Amino acid sequence: MRAQWAARRSRPGPALPAVLILSAVLAGCTSAPESAPAARWQPRPGADWQWQLSGRLDPTVDVPVYDIDGFEHDASAVADLHRRGRKVICYVSTGAWEDFRPDAAKFPASVRGRGNGWPGERWLDIRRTDLLEPLMEARIEMCAKKGFDAVEPDNMDGYRNRTGFPLAAADQVRYNRLVARIAHRHGLAVGLKNDLDQIPQLEPDFDFAVNEQCAQYDECAALTPFIEADKAVFHVEYEVPVARFCPQSKKLRLSSLRKKYELGVWRRSCTSSPSGDGGQNGNRAAPRPLTPGPAPPAPLSLRPPQPLRTHRP
């Protein structure tokens, strides 16, 4: 474009046309303003959901939200759920090392702490953000590239457990906010997993919450800051019958399920059925039987009512 303008200047002519030509050229060189980034998905209270981390993925449960393992499902599985009208959350662990993940060798031994109660998993030293940030960035970027709408980062309450590191509450707040920033950089919504005590500090940084067993331990009221901010709370119970927790869940506007510990297809939803009995698989017409898995290992939590999260054994 500079060469074209030089050629035009060498030709004789009146000054006004030259000025007009210059204006046109400069206008052509001005880049168009970049379009605003697409708004992140914001799940609202009461949305029904399916949480499946084990077994062959069943995409036919008639719910608007799915939460599935980010490593074990490719972009085509996410696209299929999108075609069915679902939003899809990417499960990844951000607070524990897992020896069965393809990036396991990238985690230095210095950041691997005590086992968290599940085979092949160890707590991470979340103070070492210099080492962990690029690793978590890669995991969350993987979710974004596969087309997920959100991230469920797991093991976000290590400071309440025997990790092998002297983690403080401030370390956890700092790390959880880092994870939220990474997700938002990639255009993904992000959920706060458990970590009830820090909800007052962290709710503004997160787009929804994921909780396990708040009804069993009488802690569900702690999640109300998310509901009051018009953000969904995806909640699951493993041992309490639906008849005992669904009435309170509906009152609090939680998105509540009864699941088995292996987090397979089986589910009972407080949202899908007015009575809370929901059927094995919510609104799916043809339930598929699932063999129950083994009981989960005992948690290592310092506070008995604050359970560890679950993951397939």
Side-chain angles (χ1 to χ4, degrees):
M1 192 167 291
R2 289 178 181 172
Q4 293 175 355
W5 173 235
R8 291 178 185 273
R9 285 196 62 189
S10 65
R11 297 173 186 171
L16 182 58
V19 171
L20 295 176
I21 292 171
L22 175 59
S23 300
V25 171
L26 292 177
C29 292
T30 303
S31 59
E34 295 183 2
S35 58
R40 290 192 305 271
W41 172 53
Q42 177 58 71
R44 303 301 179 188
D48 203 5
W49 69 306
Q50 167 66 320
W51 195 14
Q52 186 181 345
L53 297 184
S54 69
R56 183 176 180 179
L57 179 63
D58 182 350
T60 65
V61 180
D62 190 14
V63 294
V65 180
Y66 263 67
D67 188 337
I68 63 177
D69 190 289
F71 279 102
E72 296 189 357
H73 298 287
D74 58 20
S76 64
V78 178
D80 178 59
L81 288 168
H82 282 159
R83 283 193 294 272
R84 297 170 187 267
R86 330 282 194 222
K87 294 293 187 180
V88 194
I89 301 172
C90 181
Y91 170 93
V92 292
S93 180
T94 52
W97 174 74
E98 303 160 302
D99 67 2
F100 49 87
R101 296 301 191 187
D103 61 353
K106 297 180 181 179
F107 288 77
S110 61
V111 301
R112 306 177 201 169
R114 296 182 57 169
N116 68 357
W118 296 90
E121 299 189 26
R122 294 183 176 275
W123 289 105
L124 290 171
D125 186 354
I126 59 170
R127 300 170 301 169
R128 296 301 308 274
T129 55
D130 57 322
L131 299 175
L132 294 180
E133 181 173 0
L135 294 168
M136 297 308 149
E137 181 96 39
R139 286 188 167 191
I140 292 172
E141 183 179 22
M142 170 194 72
C143 296
K145 287 182 175 179
K146 289 182 177 182
F148 282 92
D149 302 287
V151 179
E152 179 210 334
D154 202 0
N155 296 293
M156 298 281 274
D157 54 359
Y159 81 107
R160 297 307 305 249
N161 292 271
R162 301 183 185 96
T163 63
F165 306 110
L167 303 181
D171 297 321
Q172 194 71 61
V173 168
R174 176 173 173 249
Y175 185 72
N176 290 0
R177 283 177 172 158
L178 171 64
V179 170
R181 288 197 303 273
I182 294 172
H184 290 162
R185 280 203 298 264
H186 290 280
L188 300 176
V190 60
L192 180 64
K193 181 70 171 286
N194 296 326
D195 197 17
L196 294 173
D197 292 341
Q198 296 185 330
I199 284 177
Q201 295 168 270
L202 291 173
E203 175 275 316
D205 300 282
F206 287 82
D207 305 293
F208 58 95
V210 179
N211 175 266
E212 294 165 294
Q213 297 173 285
C214 70
Q216 182 172 344
Y217 297 110
D218 195 23
E219 298 173 328
C220 292
L223 292 152
T224 54
F226 277 95
I227 300 299
E228 290 172 352
D230 201 24
K231 300 175 181 180
V233 173
F234 298 112
H235 160 236
V236 69
E237 293 291 329
Y238 304 107
E239 300 178 11
V240 181
V242 291
R244 284 178 50 193
F245 71 84
C246 280
Q248 183 194 32
S249 289
K250 291 176 180 178
K251 182 178 180 180
L252 295 175
R253 300 172 64 207
L254 309 183
S255 301
S256 297
L257 299 178
R258 170 82 186 270
K259 296 285 290 185
K260 297 177 181 179
Y261 276 108
E262 71 269 15
L263 292 175
V265 177
W266 189 92
R267 70 192 286 275
R268 290 182 185 272
S269 172
C270 296
T271 306
S272 298
S273 169
S275 64
D277 57 14
Q280 279 194 349
N281 297 290
N283 297 333
R284 191 161 60 88
R288 180 173 61 188
L290 183 67
T291 302
L300 298 176
S301 177
L302 289 176
R303 184 180 63 169
Q306 179 73 20
L308 294 178
R309 92 299 179 260
T310 57
H311 186 59
R312 59 192 180 283

